[in-house]
Amino acid sequence: MSMSKPTLQEKIARLRASFVNQLPARLEEAQEQMKLLKSDPEMNRVSAVELHRAFHSLKGTGKSFGFIDLAKIAEQAESYTQQLIDLPVNRTPSGWPDTLEDLLHQLASQVQILAYADLQNGHPQDAPFFDVEKTSSMQISSDSPLIYLCDDEPEQVDHLANQLRCFGYQIEHFNDTQSFHKAVINKRPDAVIMDVYFPQGRTAGTDELASLKEVTGQQLPSIVLSGRDDFEARLSAVRAGCAAYFLKPAKPLELAAVLDDLMNDKPDEPYRILLVDDEPDVAEYHSLILEEAGMLVYQTHKPEVILETLRTFNPDLVLADMYMPVCDGVEMAAIIRQVPEYVGLPIVFLSSETNRKKQFKAMQVGVEGFITKPVIPEELVASVALRAERMRTLRSLMARDSLTGLYNHTTTTEMMNTALAHAMRQEETLAVVMIDLDKFKAVNDTYGHMAGDQVIVALARLFKHRLRNTDVIGRYGGEEFALLLKNLTPEKAKGLVNELREDFSKIIFNAGNKQFKVTFSAGISFYPGCSRSEDLRMAADAALYKAKEQGRNQVVVSKEKT
C-alpha cells in the first residue's frame, strides 16, 4: 500500500519540530562556550566568536519558523556578544558575564516553552505561499535559470528553495563557501543568493563572491540573504557587487522579482532623441555626440512638422533650439503640450539664452531644462540620458500592472491592434486568448485578498516563464488575463494553453494552515477568421463564456468567422 507524499505544510511542520528538538543541544553547546569564555576571556576569543555564531543561527532560524520571542532574545545576545568581540580586552565591561548568562537563561526558558508547545497548531504560516504537487507534470526544464543558494543553515532556506523552484528556477543549495566555489568554477550559475556570515568569518560569504570575481574576471549576478542588518555586512555586499540585500526571512516573490531583473540580459533599446534645430550643421554636431553615446537620433529642421514627427518617431525626449523661424522653441513646446499623450514628454532646450525671465517663460509651458551652448559633450550625454531614462520609467509604470508587471488593459488593447496589423501585413496567424480564474471571488472571501494576490502573481509568473518573448501577456482585469500568441496554428495554440491550464491546476496554494488549488478557463479566437481586433476579443470572450458554462477549467476555441 503506497503512502501519500507529505504536503509542503507537513514538511515545514517537521522542520520546525526538528529545530525545536535540536534546541537543548544547541543551548548546551552555547553554555559550554560561555564557561570557556569566563575561564579565560583573554585567551578564548574563539569562544566569543562561536557564541556569536550560535546566537546568530538561533535568531535567523527562529525568525524563519515564527518563533519570534526566541529570535528576539537571540538577537540581543548576538548584538551583545559582537560588542564584546569588538572591544579590546582591557576595556571589556566588568559585568559582561552576568549579562550573557541572563540572556542564556532567557533562551533556556524559551526552549522549555517550545518543547511543550503543540507544533501542529502553533505559529501558523502568516504569509500565503504556494508549492507544486510532486506528481505535477510541470518539470523544471534544463534551460531554466540556474540559481546557486549558499547558506549553512538548510532549515532556513529549504522552504525558500522550494518556492523558487515553483517560479521556474533550478536551485542548487550549498552549505559552505568551499563547495560553492568549486561549483562556480565548474559551472557558472545565472545568479547567486548568498549569506554573509559563515564559520570562516563574519563576511565570508560576500568575501567569497569578491574572490571569485578576482579569479574569474567576471561579476556573478548576486543578491544577499542574511540575518545580519549591520553596516559591516551591508558594506561587504556592496563591495562584492551584490545587486540587492534581503533580510531573513525573505518573501520569495520579492526575491524572484530581483532575480528576474538580474538575469534580464536583453540589451536595452537605445534612447530615442528627437533633435529640432533650424541649423543643419549644428544639429548634426549634437546628433553625432548623442549617437556616439549609443542613442538613436532623428533630426528635423522644421518645427511645423513636429506633431507628425512625434507620432512616427515616438521619442523619449525632444532636444530643441530655443530660437527658430516660423515658430520659436517656446511656441513649439506649447503646441506639443496641447496633445494629451505628450504632456509628460521631456523637452530640453539647447540654447545660449541666459535671461532668467525668458527661461522661466519656457518652463511655464512645460520645458524641463536648458543646456547651454556651446555644449560640453559629457554634460549633454548625461543630461539627455537622465531625462530619457525617467521618461522610459514613467511609460513603463503607465503601461504595466503594478501587482504582476504584465501589460495593463489599455496597453494590451493597443498591442492587440498592432499585432493584428502586423499579422495581416506578414500573412501570419494571431491567436487571442482570454483567460479567467475560476471562482476567484470565493478565494478572496475564504482565504483573504493577500492569498488572492498570490494566485494572480503565480499565474503571471507561469505565463512569463512558459511563453515566448514574442508573445504578449496582459492583465486585462482583476482576475482576467489576455494572451497574444503570434504565428501559431490553432492546434498548437490550444495545446499550449491546455498545458498551462493543467500545470496551473496542480499548484498548491497555502494561506495560514489551509491549502487550496485554483483553475482557470480560457477562450481562443484567431486571425485569419476575425479581421478586426474588437471582433477577435469578443470572439475569445464568447468562447471563454462557453468554457465557464460547460463546467470551467477548460479551453474552448471560437468557431466564429467574420
Side-chain angles (χ1 to χ4, degrees):
M1 179 178 176
S2 63
M3 298 180 63
S4 61
K5 294 184 179 181
T7 65
L8 181 60
Q9 195 78 2
E10 290 168 339
K11 290 179 184 177
I12 293 171
R14 290 177 188 175
L15 286 172
R16 288 158 58 89
S18 174
F19 172 66
V20 172
N21 288 336
Q22 295 169 20
L23 281 176
R26 289 193 182 196
L27 189 61
E28 187 177 344
E29 185 178 337
Q31 289 167 338
E32 287 299 318
Q33 294 294 342
M34 181 64 196
K35 288 178 184 177
L36 288 172
L37 188 59
K38 281 179 65 179
S39 66
D40 193 346
E42 188 170 349
M43 298 299 295
N44 283 290
R45 306 295 278 180
V46 172
S47 297
V49 172
E50 287 300 316
L51 262 179
H52 180 272
R53 173 174 162 70
F55 294 141
H56 173 83
S57 176
L58 288 174
K59 177 193 74 173
T61 310
K63 281 184 179 180
S64 294
F65 286 148
F67 301 129
I68 303 303
D69 292 337
L70 177 78
K72 283 182 179 177
I73 299 166
E75 187 168 15
Q76 293 174 35
E78 177 194 26
S79 176
Y80 189 76
T81 311
Q82 185 60 53
Q83 292 175 37
L84 295 179
I85 294 171
D86 292 341
L87 285 172
V89 174
N90 60 3
R91 294 187 59 187
T92 302
S94 58
W96 70 265
D98 295 336
T99 302
L100 270 184
E101 285 180 333
D102 178 59
L103 289 165
L104 281 168
H105 179 72
Q106 292 182 50
L107 285 172
S109 299
Q110 279 299 312
V111 169
Q112 288 183 343
I113 292 169
L114 293 176
Y116 292 102
D118 180 2
L119 294 174
Q120 290 292 337
N121 299 319
H123 305 286
Q125 294 291 314
D126 292 323
F129 61 96
F130 57 89
D131 191 20
V132 181
E133 289 180 322
K134 294 301 180 184
T135 56
S136 171
S137 62
M138 184 164 63
Q139 301 295 325
I140 306 284
S141 67
S142 58
D143 59 353
S144 296
L146 175 62
I147 312 298
Y148 285 175
L149 173 55
C150 190
D151 192 301
D152 64 339
E153 294 177 319
E155 63 268 28
Q156 290 195 49
V157 295
D158 280 349
H159 177 212
L160 174 66
N162 283 335
Q163 291 207 39
L164 289 175
R165 289 187 183 102
C166 295
F167 295 140
Y169 302 114
Q170 300 179 71
I171 305 293
E172 290 193 21
H173 179 210
F174 302 91
N175 291 314
D176 57 80
T177 55
Q178 294 93 335
S179 59
F180 167 78
H181 181 100
K182 290 178 183 177
V184 171
I185 297 300
N186 183 53
K187 184 177 182 181
R188 180 183 167 90
D190 293 297
V192 171
I193 302 173
M194 174 66 77
D195 196 358
V196 174
Y197 188 96
F198 285 87
Q200 296 87 350
R202 288 174 48 77
T203 58
T206 43
D207 291 346
E208 175 59 37
L209 292 175
S211 173
L212 278 166
K213 183 180 178 181
E214 291 284 328
V215 172
T216 64
Q218 293 179 308
Q219 175 71 57
L220 278 171
S222 308
I223 59 180
V224 164
L225 177 62
S226 175
R228 292 181 59 186
D229 190 22
D230 56 277
F231 180 80
E232 179 193 26
R234 289 184 175 274
L235 180 60
S236 74
V238 169
R239 288 176 172 172
C242 297
Y245 196 107
F246 287 88
L247 293 175
K248 296 177 180 176
K251 295 178 180 178
L253 280 174
E254 293 178 359
L255 274 173
V258 174
L259 286 172
D260 282 350
D261 287 340
L262 267 180
M263 294 180 292
N264 183 11
D265 56 0
K266 292 188 299 183
D268 292 333
E269 285 192 22
Y271 297 127
R272 302 172 67 86
I273 310 302
L274 175 58
L275 206 159
V276 187
D277 197 314
D278 63 311
E279 296 186 46
D281 290 342
V282 176
E284 183 65 22
Y285 170 65
H286 294 144
S287 179
L288 286 172
I289 293 173
L290 297 174
E291 287 174 346
E292 184 66 23
M295 302 184 197
L296 183 63
V297 182
Y298 184 89
Q299 299 177 38
T300 181
H301 312 302
K302 298 178 180 179
E304 60 267 32
V305 300
I306 187 65
L307 293 181
E308 180 185 345
T309 308
L310 288 174
R311 281 191 290 269
T312 56
F313 183 62
N314 192 28
D316 296 308
L317 178 140
V318 175
L319 191 61
D321 190 10
M322 189 169 179
Y323 295 104
M324 296 179 291
V326 182
C327 78
D328 62 29
V330 174
E331 292 169 331
M332 185 187 73
I335 290 170
I336 292 172
R337 293 294 185 241
Q338 289 173 351
V339 183
E341 62 189 283
Y342 301 134
V343 167
L345 178 65
I347 303 172
V348 176
F349 280 166
L350 271 171
S351 175
S352 55
E353 180 60 70
T354 57
N355 185 292
R356 290 184 177 274
K357 288 185 178 179
K358 291 182 179 180
Q359 288 187 353
F360 182 70
K361 182 181 178 183
M363 294 176 70
Q364 283 182 312
V365 298
V367 173
E368 279 219 344
F370 289 79
I371 299 174
T372 305
K373 291 180 180 178
V375 300
I376 299 172
E378 294 81 3
E379 291 183 5
L380 174 64
V381 169
S383 183
V384 168
L386 181 68
R387 291 175 170 88
E389 176 60 29
R390 187 167 61 195
M391 183 62 185
R392 287 269 177 96
T393 301
L394 288 171
R395 279 178 172 167
S396 178
L397 290 172
M398 292 168 63
R400 294 187 180 273
D401 167 60
S402 60
L403 178 64
T404 63
L406 302 179
Y407 293 116
N408 59 25
H409 178 102
T410 301
T411 307
T412 304
T413 302
E414 291 172 356
M415 297 187 82
M416 195 180 300
N417 295 332
T418 304
L420 177 59
H422 181 271
M424 288 177 168
R425 285 196 307 270
Q426 301 298 320
E427 297 184 353
E428 295 177 350
T429 61
L430 175 67
V432 173
V433 187
M434 300 303 294
I435 290 171
D436 192 77
L437 289 163
D438 296 327
K439 300 183 178 179
F440 188 69
K441 183 178 183 301
V443 172
N444 282 330
D445 291 345
T446 306
Y447 306 105
H449 287 276
M450 185 183 288
D453 286 349
Q454 294 288 311
V455 173
I456 288 171
V457 170
L459 183 54
R461 297 198 70 84
L462 180 66
F463 290 154
K464 287 178 183 178
H465 281 284
R466 295 286 291 278
L467 297 176
R468 303 165 299 178
N469 290 335
T470 55
D471 297 325
V472 174
I473 312 167
R475 187 180 178 195
Y476 213 67
E479 65 267 28
E480 191 172 13
F481 295 78
L483 310 179
L484 307 180
L485 308 179
K486 301 177 182 180
N487 212 23
L488 287 181
T489 65
E491 293 76 18
K492 286 186 177 179
K494 183 179 181 182
L496 173 61
V497 178
N498 254 322
E499 285 177 13
L500 294 170
R501 179 189 59 78
E502 289 171 2
D503 287 341
F504 182 70
S505 71
K506 292 179 173 66
I507 294 178
I508 301 171
F509 295 91
N510 293 263
N513 55 5
K514 298 177 181 178
Q515 293 185 334
F516 63 97
K517 296 180 184 178
V518 182
T519 61
F520 69 72
S521 302
I524 311 179
S525 62
F526 294 93
Y527 170 83
C530 297
S531 55
R532 296 191 311 160
S533 60
E534 182 62 15
D535 294 336
L536 275 168
R537 186 196 61 77
M538 291 178 64
D541 263 340
L544 170 61
Y545 183 75
K546 189 173 181 181
K548 295 279 189 181
E549 272 191 328
Q550 292 177 175
R552 300 184 178 89
N553 191 23
Q554 57 186 276
V555 179
V556 172
V557 176
S558 171
K559 304 297 183 184
E560 186 170 344
K561 304 280 185 180
T562 60

